[in-house]
């Protein structure tokens, strides 16, 4: 297999359908022709929500380890969140991250700039200075609590032609919660995070989007109310998109265990929420799947549900999980999976496909084992899950960046 794959140029326009892209890939002279239908070539995946932790927290992940892990997951473009040290809130700080990317990234890595200085929610960051270099503006990891500051940020982002990418979380409703405020929390005596802490800020922001006309993207939606609010906003014609993560689509709070690898923010919600997310994916309310790849050290994740850090890794498991638990059971087609993992995020964030693709062996069966991850982060709720699909190779700009 390995020596059959040669790095090959595929030029696909974003308007092309997945079948067209595959057709282009297969008809390109020099591309390996596979004797078996088990191998599928996808356009390079694009994840608009990852945490690569550099600069500031390289013990959790670096640009080098994160981008290698992404390549192993079939990704050729990712957008990194700004909860770093220093926070990219001006050009000088952003340049430190851009230097790491320039030096160490094996795929395309595009940062977000912060919305507020230090992600503190008090003063707007230098959005204009950072605009040429960033995918958009986000305070991910924290919600912008002040409505007025969010309004100002939206006005400025609109003038700069960049999206606001919102982590929606109302701190006044958290009350020390760390998992969903649902059946599992009640049964096991945990403090819960209510759904309104997510949908409340979404409702507020949608009002502001109407007022300012900004392009607005909602991060990691997890509740049925969020789906409905975004469905309505789209019906009204607002410039709104959203993402959810693989874990919210295939897991719910009935599957929680007393282990930090089940803890992320937002938390796994109820079975009804999960069903609403799948429905949202099918009717186009949810535009894309993004992983919120959020690596932490083993120590930080070893403190149970209450005390562990929020965040799980996901970039190396996204496609096998989507394929095994959504495509194989017939919920999504392979074309829809490619749309959600590649085409739609690239269109929304204007990220060129370039000459990128990944090759997957769809019949390869394995059990998810974090020891195999190239990411420094090992905490995943999918540990031990049986999956189909193994990335055989990933090509970025004609260069082989991962080979099994
Ligand atoms: O679970 C999470 N982890 N959610 C976030 O919003 C932030 C992220 C992180 O940075 O670890």
């Amino acid at each position: 297999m390995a020596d059959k794959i040669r790095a090959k140029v595929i030029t696909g326009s974003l308007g092309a359908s997945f079948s067209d892209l595959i057709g282009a890939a297969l008809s390109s002279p020099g591309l390996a022709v596979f004797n078996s239908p088990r191998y599928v070539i996808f356009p390079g995946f694009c994840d608009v929500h990852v945490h690569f932790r550099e600069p500031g927290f390289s013990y959790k992940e670096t640009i080098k380890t994160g981008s290698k892990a992404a390549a192993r997951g079939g990704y050729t473009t990712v957008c990194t969140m700004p909860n770093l040290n220093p926070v990219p809130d001006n050009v000088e700080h952003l340049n430190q991250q851009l230097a790491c990317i320039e030096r160490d990234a094996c795929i395309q890595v595009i940062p977000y700039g912060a919305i507020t200085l230090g992600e503190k929610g008090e003063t707007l960051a230098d959005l204009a200075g950072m605009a040429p270099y960033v995918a958009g503006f986000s305070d991910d990891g924290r919600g912008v609590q002040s409505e007025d500051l969010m309004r100002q940020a939206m006005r400025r982002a609109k003038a700069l032609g960049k999206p606001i990418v919102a982590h929606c979380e109302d701190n006044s409703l958290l009350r020390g919660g760390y998992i969903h405020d649902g059946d599992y929390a009640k049964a096991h005596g945990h403090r819960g995070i209510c759904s309104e802490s997510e949908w409340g800020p979404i409702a507020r922001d949608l009002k502001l989007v109407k007022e300012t006309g900004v392009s607005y993207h909602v991060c990691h939606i997890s509740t049925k109310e969020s789906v409905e609010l975004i469905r309505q906003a789209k019906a009204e014609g607002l410039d709104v998109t959203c993402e959810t993560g693989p874990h919210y689509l295939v897991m719910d709070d009935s599957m929680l265990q007393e282990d930090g690898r089940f803890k992320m923010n937002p938390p796994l919600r109820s079975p009804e929420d999960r069903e609403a997310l799948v429905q949202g994916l099918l009717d186009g309310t949810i535009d894309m799947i993004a992983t919120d790849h959020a690596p932490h050290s083993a120590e930080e994740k070893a403190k149970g549900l209450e005390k562990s850090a929020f965040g799980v890794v996901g970039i190396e498991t996204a496609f096998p999980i989507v394929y095994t638990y959504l495509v194989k059971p017939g919920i999504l087609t392979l074309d829809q999976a490619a749309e959600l993992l590649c085409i739609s995020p690239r269109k929304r964030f204007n990220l060129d496909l370039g000459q990128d693709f990944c090759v997957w062996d769809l019949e390869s069966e394995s059990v998810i084992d974090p020891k195999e991850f190239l990411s420094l982060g090992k905490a995943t709720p999918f540990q031990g899950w049986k999956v189909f699909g193994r990335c055989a190779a990933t090509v970025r700009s004609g260069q082989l960046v991962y080979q099994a």
Side-chain angles (χ1 to χ4, degrees):
M1 174 69 201
D3 60 347
K4 275 194 175 177
I5 299 174
R6 269 163 288 153
K8 181 66 198 123
V9 171
I10 300 178
T11 39
S13 81
L14 290 177
S17 73
F18 172 51
S19 319
D20 290 340
L21 287 169
I22 296 268
L26 291 173
S27 63
S28 294
L31 187 77
V33 176
F34 305 117
N35 295 327
S36 151
R38 68 190 284 171
Y39 296 107
V40 169
I41 303 172
F42 292 93
F45 297 153
C46 172
D47 189 345
V48 299
H49 193 140
V50 303
H51 297 267
F52 280 0
R53 309 299 194 196
E54 200 177 24
F57 304 95
S58 348
Y59 68 95
K60 298 177 196 258
E61 190 81 292
T62 63
I63 298 290
K64 187 178 263 179
T65 57
S67 66
K68 282 187 171 174
R72 181 168 181 262
Y75 288 87
T76 58
T77 302
V78 297
C79 302
T80 52
M81 287 300 174
N83 50 350
L84 302 168
N85 188 14
V87 170
D89 52 10
N90 63 34
V91 176
E92 191 198 324
H93 290 166
L94 177 65
N95 275 339
Q96 294 186 36
Q97 192 191 357
L98 291 171
C100 298
I101 292 169
E102 176 72 25
R103 191 184 65 225
D104 287 335
C106 69
I107 59 162
Q108 183 180 37
V109 177
I110 304 184
Y112 289 105
I115 296 175
T116 67
L117 287 182
E119 287 199 329
K120 288 196 167 73
E122 292 161 3
T123 314
L124 278 194
D126 178 11
L127 308 195
M130 295 188 290
Y133 313 104
V134 297
F137 301 107
S138 181
D139 267 4
D140 186 65
R142 294 182 188 179
V144 176
Q145 304 299 303
S146 156
E147 176 168 339
D148 195 50
L149 199 56
M150 188 54 127
R151 182 184 290 107
Q152 288 177 40
M154 286 187 179
R155 286 200 180 124
R156 210 163 286 180
K158 163 80 179 167
L160 294 164
K162 290 282 170 183
I164 289 286
V165 176
H167 171 112
C168 289
E169 184 170 23
D170 181 341
N171 294 350
S172 73
L173 298 177
L174 296 180
R175 300 182 196 111
Y178 43 86
I179 59 170
H180 177 55
D181 187 17
D183 290 349
Y184 187 92
K186 285 186 191 80
H188 295 83
H190 288 296
R191 282 190 301 282
I193 304 175
C194 66
S195 297
E196 190 180 352
S197 67
E198 174 177 299
W199 64 255
I202 296 178
R204 177 202 75 180
D205 282 0
L206 290 172
K207 233 177 37 189
L208 299 176
V209 172
K210 215 172 193 173
E211 199 180 309
T212 61
V214 75
S215 294
Y216 179 72
H217 176 82
V218 193
C219 295
H220 44 51
I221 68 164
S222 67
T223 75
K224 55 183 189 296
E225 293 87 352
S226 308
V227 177
E228 191 47 39
L229 282 166
I230 293 163
R231 186 177 284 127
Q232 282 169 20
K234 287 188 167 190
E236 284 180 48
L238 299 188
D239 186 0
V240 172
T241 53
C242 69
E243 69 191 42
T244 194
H247 39 289
Y248 304 114
L249 293 165
V250 301
M251 298 187 82
D252 57 52
D253 71 342
S254 72
M255 299 158 94
L256 282 170
Q257 293 179 29
E258 296 295 318
D259 188 320
R261 66 192 174 84
F262 292 85
K263 179 173 175 181
M264 75 292 286
N265 188 21
L268 295 174
R269 301 284 186 183
S270 71
E272 302 79 61
D273 289 304
R274 188 194 68 75
E275 277 164 32
L277 291 169
V278 172
Q279 202 43 52
L281 207 59
L282 292 174
D283 71 15
T285 302
I286 299 177
D287 303 84
M288 61 197 78
I289 294 175
T291 65
D292 194 5
H293 176 80
H296 293 287
S297 71
E299 293 75 22
E300 289 166 325
K301 293 300 289 178
K303 299 174 185 167
L305 285 175
E306 182 180 354
K307 299 257 157 65
S308 291
F310 283 106
V312 295
V313 294
I315 208 149
E316 292 171 80
T317 52
F319 179 76
I321 290 292
V322 167
Y323 177 63
T324 309
Y325 295 95
L326 295 172
V327 175
K328 270 178 97 67
I331 298 164
L332 291 179
T333 65
L334 216 43
D335 271 33
Q336 284 170 317
E339 186 71 31
L340 292 161
L341 289 163
C342 169
I343 307 293
S344 164
R346 288 182 188 279
K347 276 187 191 152
R348 176 55 163 168
F349 288 87
N350 228 343
L351 303 166
D352 256 356
L353 176 59
Q355 301 161 342
D356 300 3
F357 64 94
C358 53
V359 183
W360 286 82
D361 175 352
L362 296 183
E363 287 176 17
S364 171
E365 204 178 330
S366 61
V367 171
I368 290 178
D369 177 3
K371 287 204 285 296
E372 290 176 10
F373 291 168
L374 300 181
S375 170
L376 297 182
K378 308 294 176 193
T380 168
F382 297 124
Q383 181 177 323
W385 283 39
K386 195 170 129 180
V387 286
F388 290 89
R390 183 178 288 276
C391 186
T394 302
V395 172
R396 159 74 190 154
S397 288
Q399 303 280 328
L400 193 60
V401 287
Y402 173 75
Q403 188 165 19

